[in-house]
Amino acid sequence: MRGSVGSIAAVLGIGVVAWGAPEAAHARPVAPVVVEVYATATLAPGERDAAWRAGRAALATASIASRWCEGAREGDADGCASAPGRRLIVRIADAGTASTAPGRLGYALVDPVARGGTLATVFADRVREAAAAARADGGRLLGLAIAHEIGHLLLGTNAHVERGLMRPVWLSEEIRRDAPGDWMWTAGLPAAMRRGLERSAGQGRLAGEPVQ
């Protein structure tokens, strides 16, 4: 499979890029995102709800509407399977003994040629460890980590920025401080993400199509 990996780490990260394009005063509406979550890690109901709220809110600040639903659910009782929009797949798993870089909280598979992707993975156990070390809300931090990886998918790059939600390293002191600026999209990113949504129209899996 052609592609590259964009990731976030609690202790180590590389690949910093500057985004300088100013944000438009009034964002043009784009197709919503349907975030289909497949969790093999055990999540408490409150943890899952907090994660979805935080992830949805983060995307909303980029003027991107999103609908979150559980994957592998029988039928379409909640209407999510048939919801219109760009469908992204997020796996929530425990890293365990996985051969990933120590401290990595997750990663996104990005096709550098198509400049996009549809699949991201976030490690629930590592997010919990990072939250516990910082005495922070683990569910909220999980949602922010998911939003970070979705950012990679929509931006179509594994590069990071120096500040804000798309920075490569989340230090415990930053998580504990919880400064609003540490969880915002820096200038130019929201517009670039919306352009990514427009560019990906017709690519990837759309709502209602089965997973192969």
Side-chain angles (χ1 to χ4, degrees), residues 57-204:
L59 291 175
T61 62
S63 298
I64 295 175
S66 62
R67 182 164 185 173
W68 297 52
C69 59
E70 294 180 3
R73 175 178 288 185
E74 292 292 333
D76 190 23
D78 59 2
C80 199
S82 57
R86 178 77 167 88
R87 187 168 294 266
L88 302 176
I89 308 300
V90 175
R91 300 184 300 187
I92 301 178
D94 286 333
T97 58
S99 57
T100 60
R104 177 178 287 179
L105 302 183
Y107 62 89
L109 297 179
V110 176
D111 185 329
V113 176
R115 291 189 298 163
T118 59
L119 176 63
T121 298
V122 175
F123 298 122
D125 53 347
R126 291 184 177 176
V127 172
R128 288 193 193 103
E129 291 171 3
R135 299 189 294 277
D137 184 330
R140 177 170 175 264
L141 191 65
L142 178 62
L144 292 170
I146 293 172
H148 174 103
E149 301 305 341
I150 289 176
H152 281 301
L153 297 178
L154 297 181
L155 291 167
T157 177
N158 61 1
H160 294 92
V161 295
E162 295 180 353
R163 297 178 298 278
L165 184 59
M166 292 304 293
R167 67 192 188 280
V169 182
W170 292 4
L171 301 175
S172 289
E173 59 195 62
E174 295 172 339
I175 298 172
R176 184 181 304 113
R177 182 180 61 199
D178 197 26
D182 288 337
W183 312 114
M184 294 175 62
W185 310 100
T186 51
L189 288 182
M193 291 164 63
R194 293 193 298 273
R195 286 195 299 271
L197 269 177
E198 295 172 345
R199 184 173 62 245
S200 65
Q203 298 177 1

Side-chain angles (χ1 to χ4, degrees), residues 21-72:
E23 182 66 7
H26 299 287
R28 183 172 62 182
V30 295
V33 169
V34 178
V35 181
E36 189 170 331
V37 180
Y38 291 81
T40 57
T42 301
L43 299 179
E47 183 180 22
R48 188 209 69 170
D49 293 345
W52 289 18
R53 282 195 304 271
R56 188 182 298 116
L59 291 175
T61 62
S63 298
I64 295 175
S66 62
R67 182 164 185 173
W68 297 52
C69 59
E70 294 180 3

